Amino acid sequence: MKKIIISVLTLFGVATMLQSCVDDLNITPDDPLRLEADQFYSKPGAYKQALAGIYGNLALTGTNGAGSSNIGGIDAGTSQYGRVLWYMQNLTTDEVIWSYENDPGVRELQRNIWNAANPILRGMFGRAMFQVALTNEFLRQSTPEKLSARGISSAEQAEIATYRLEARALRALAYYHLMDMFGKAPFVDENTPISAAGPEYNRQQLFDFVESELLAILPGLKAPKSNETGRLDQAFARMILAKIYLNAQVYIGQDKYAACAEQCTAILGAGYSLAPNYLHNFTADNHLSPEAIFYIQSDGIMTQNFGPTTVMINGQVGSIEQNGESMGVGAGGWGGALRLRKQFVDKFEGSEFSGDARKTIISGSRNANISDIADRDQGFILAKYSNRTSTGVAGQNTTFVDTDFPLFRLADVHLMYVECAIRGAAGANMSTALSYVNALRQRANNGSTIANVNQSALTLDFILDERSRELHWEGHRRQDLIRFGKFAGGVYNWAWKGNGSAGIAIPQFMNLFPIPEASLASNPNLTQNPGY
């Protein structure tokens, strides 16, 4: 169906030889074909295969199937990069709730009562640091000196130089996520001795590293839309830069909205366009969407994993509706695992949303309120993601989906630019911002201007809600609520926030997650976040 570049993850085996100082990762040698580094890298195509391993860490958890994990002590579902990212950014908010609270770590996350022992937090921290470790080893093994010693041709060396830039961008992504969610992380790069525990970097230091690293590699990355499917390019780097600038007030106490708008403008001029049909961004062939900047790959045969799209599509299936077949999975799916909190449903109230394609909410005979989380018949459900293609063809597997996870897409760039304009960023024009909002609304209404807004509607409250309407279940909500001052505290409560059925305030320190206990135990340089 698509070109999969992450089907062979030999680097996962190579990485087990590192004797990583990050002991809490406890990387297990689950690849029986593991080779010594020189043997591996002397084989044809080895460097591209190794790069594929770094990309693969975003989607896969091991080399022995969907249930395997190369991070010891954590199961595959608790350590898949996209899944734990989605749990932490969406399940902790007003957008969604998970029915089965006996799943390790879920109850604490969605009720906002987590602590440092939560396995999902450990999975995210460990998986991100594994991404760093994979990148560092690749960079150590691909220096000009190593390449020359191994007899790599000049032409291949030039291509490997591009691979190195992509690997550094993927490492920057991991540090960006650690900065956003944990506020600190051990810093290690390719120059750090393998046996050394990295020093603790705070948010300012992580911000400075991610920014400087991306700016340094940006000119050498491939132009937007010119790389292979599934590989990153300059727009990927600009998206991370835009994200750190958009949230700079939270991260480092500085206003960098103008810098965010500048990155958005560059992406908006890079040849992307909105998909004519909103829902085609979430189908089994969504890698073909003209607004796809970077999606985490999923393939029902080649890359089976319990990642975010497999979870969401199977979890969307209603316990009453049994509507999985229409979404390309089993009729019963996962028995009503995912439902919507009422506060999200309310964002689509009003006649202006009656024909909105983004409103895939199924109500039926259901009660919108969830008074009992275990009652899967309470709460509305969603039908946003699908394991069918844009032409209705079912995916290759009825459990593991072909639908990629939309980490970065053009619609988000529209809305980031609009927010910067509302916040008064130099260089961000309000009339241009209005056109970006209305382009999304017209797309959502099949080209009609019926739901278009005027410039006076562009307020911070509006854009926060519009981001949820456009980007729900895409891994943005927690970050957005924090930036708008509505996550911690009691300014905005939602069902089961703070473990109250109607929602109660949570303390400000919960804007950051705690450093996992295992990470603290393995690295004496790490300190716990305040409040935990």
Side-chain angles (χ1 to χ4, degrees):
M1 178 177 292
K2 66 183 81 168
K3 183 175 179 64
I4 295 292
I5 68 161
I6 60 174
S7 57
V8 181
L9 299 177
T10 310
L11 188 58
F12 274 60
V14 175
T16 66
M17 299 184 293
L18 296 179
Q19 298 178 352
S20 172
C21 64
V22 190
D23 291 336
D24 65 299
L25 297 183
N26 191 19
I27 301 168
T28 57
D30 62 354
D31 187 350
L33 302 177
R34 183 181 51 175
L35 303 171
E36 294 296 330
D38 282 337
Q39 290 178 290
F40 170 71
Y41 282 107
S42 65
K43 292 184 174 293
Y47 285 93
K48 189 170 186 180
Q49 212 175 60
L51 178 68
I54 306 174
Y55 278 100
N57 187 54
L58 297 175
L60 303 184
T61 54
T63 55
N64 290 332
S68 67
S69 177
N70 47 28
I71 297 181
I74 308 176
D75 67 33
T78 310
S79 66
Q80 201 273 351
Y81 199 114
R83 178 172 177 172
V84 291
L85 176 67
W86 185 79
Y87 274 174
M88 292 168 69
Q89 296 285 17
N90 289 96
L91 201 58
T92 58
T93 74
D94 60 347
E95 289 189 347
V96 61
I97 205 158
W98 182 261
S99 301
Y100 305 113
E101 292 201 299
N102 59 334
D103 287 4
V106 166
R107 180 180 188 275
E108 293 77 17
L109 276 191
Q110 66 184 14
R111 294 175 185 246
N112 312 100
I113 53 172
W114 55 75
N115 58 38
N118 190 285
I120 295 171
L121 304 187
R122 183 187 175 199
M124 183 72 244
F125 200 92
R127 185 58 63 186
M129 288 308 301
F130 189 29
Q131 186 83 339
V132 172
L134 290 172
T135 298
N136 290 344
E137 179 62 7
F138 178 77
L139 295 175
R140 293 185 190 105
Q141 296 295 338
S142 58
T143 62
E145 295 76 18
K146 290 271 190 183
L147 298 179
S148 295
R150 290 169 179 156
I152 305 299
S153 69
S154 297
E156 189 176 355
Q157 285 196 38
E159 187 65 20
I160 291 169
T162 301
Y163 297 167
R164 287 172 59 87
L165 298 181
E166 291 180 38
R168 289 168 65 184
L170 290 168
R171 181 176 61 184
L173 176 73
Y175 272 127
Y176 154 61
H177 284 142
L178 290 165
M179 172 179 65
D180 178 73
M181 292 183 281
F182 298 97
K184 59 177 67 171
F187 182 77
V188 288
D189 63 12
E190 67 273 23
N191 300 312
T192 304
I194 291 175
S195 59
E200 177 179 281
Y201 266 31
N202 61 27
R203 261 185 166 167
Q204 180 71 63
Q205 291 169 305
L206 290 173
F207 185 99
D208 291 343
F209 170 75
V210 172
E211 179 185 35
S212 62
E213 183 81 338
L214 292 173
L215 290 175
I217 66 177
L218 184 59
L221 291 172
K222 292 194 174 183
K225 302 176 72 69
S226 68
N227 212 343
E228 288 181 271
T229 299
R231 285 174 60 186
L232 63 86
D233 54 31
Q234 290 176 340
F236 174 92
R238 291 192 185 279
M239 280 297 294
I240 302 175
L241 285 168
K243 288 292 184 183
I244 68 169
Y245 293 146
L246 184 69
N247 293 282
Q249 198 75 58
V250 173
Y251 297 157
I252 59 173
Q254 296 180 30
D255 176 339
K256 289 187 176 288
Y257 297 116
C260 176
E262 182 180 359
Q263 294 300 328
C264 290
T265 299
I267 299 168
L268 288 160
Y272 298 94
S273 60
L274 295 178
N277 186 322
Y278 171 75
L279 291 177
H280 288 177
N281 290 299
F282 316 104
T283 56
D285 57 351
N286 61 347
H287 63 291
L288 300 176
S289 169
E291 67 182 276
I293 294 172
F294 188 79
Y295 287 10
I296 297 177
Q297 291 191 57
S298 183
D299 185 280
I301 303 298
M302 299 296 292
T303 60
Q304 291 186 356
N305 64 83
F306 291 103
T309 48
T310 286
V311 169
M312 288 186 288
I313 294 171
N314 284 280
Q316 283 177 161
V317 179
S319 55
I320 299 170
E321 295 78 5
Q322 299 286 296
N323 57 325
E325 188 175 346
S326 66
M327 292 184 282
V329 294
W334 288 357
L338 295 172
R339 288 161 291 138
L340 299 170
R341 305 198 204 207
K342 187 176 185 300
Q343 288 71 26
F344 169 74
V345 172
D346 290 345
K347 288 172 177 49
F348 282 100
E349 285 297 313
S351 59
E352 64 184 303
F353 302 112
S354 60
D356 197 311
R358 303 172 300 180
K359 185 182 179 180
T360 63
I361 297 168
I362 298 173
S363 56
S365 60
R366 292 170 169 270
N367 188 326
N369 291 297
I370 301 173
S371 59
D372 179 1
I373 294 176
D375 185 348
R376 295 166 294 149
D377 296 346
Q378 292 182 358
F380 295 169
I381 60 173
L382 195 71
K384 176 172 177 171
Y385 289 87
S386 173
N387 188 34
R388 291 186 178 273
T389 68
S390 55
T391 58
V393 178
Q396 304 169 91
N397 188 292
T398 56
T399 296
F400 300 106
V401 304
D402 289 335
T403 310
D404 295 348
F405 180 68
L407 192 68
F408 298 137
R409 65 181 179 92
L410 184 65
D412 189 13
V413 187
H414 279 228
L415 294 172
M416 286 194 289
Y417 182 97
V418 175
E419 182 179 335
C420 290
I422 294 171
R423 293 183 185 274
N429 181 278
M430 284 295 287
S431 61
T432 301
L434 181 64
S435 71
Y436 288 148
V437 167
N438 284 334
L440 296 179
R441 290 204 153 202
Q442 286 175 223
R443 189 260 297 273
N445 287 277
N446 197 30
S448 170
T449 61
I450 191 171
N452 281 19
V453 297
N454 56 38
Q455 194 164 305
S456 64
L458 298 186
T459 65
L460 289 176
D461 284 342
F462 169 86
I463 199 63
L464 178 60
D465 286 350
E466 194 70 5
R467 284 186 63 82
S468 188
R469 285 187 281 264
E470 176 70 30
L471 302 168
H472 56 278
W473 290 29
E474 296 182 48
H476 303 287
R477 187 59 173 168
R478 169 194 156 273
Q479 183 187 87
D480 290 347
L481 288 171
I482 290 172
R483 188 171 66 255
F484 283 79
K486 293 188 175 183
F487 185 74
V491 173
Y492 174 50
N493 292 330
W494 54 85
W496 297 102
K497 175 183 176 181
N499 205 23
S501 60
I504 59 175
I506 59 175
Q508 291 294 326
F509 71 79
M510 298 190 80
N511 280 334
L512 281 174
F513 292 108
I515 305 301
E517 290 176 342
S519 301
L520 289 172
S522 69
N523 187 338
N525 297 326
L526 286 177
T527 59
Q528 187 54 275
N529 282 323
Y532 293 105

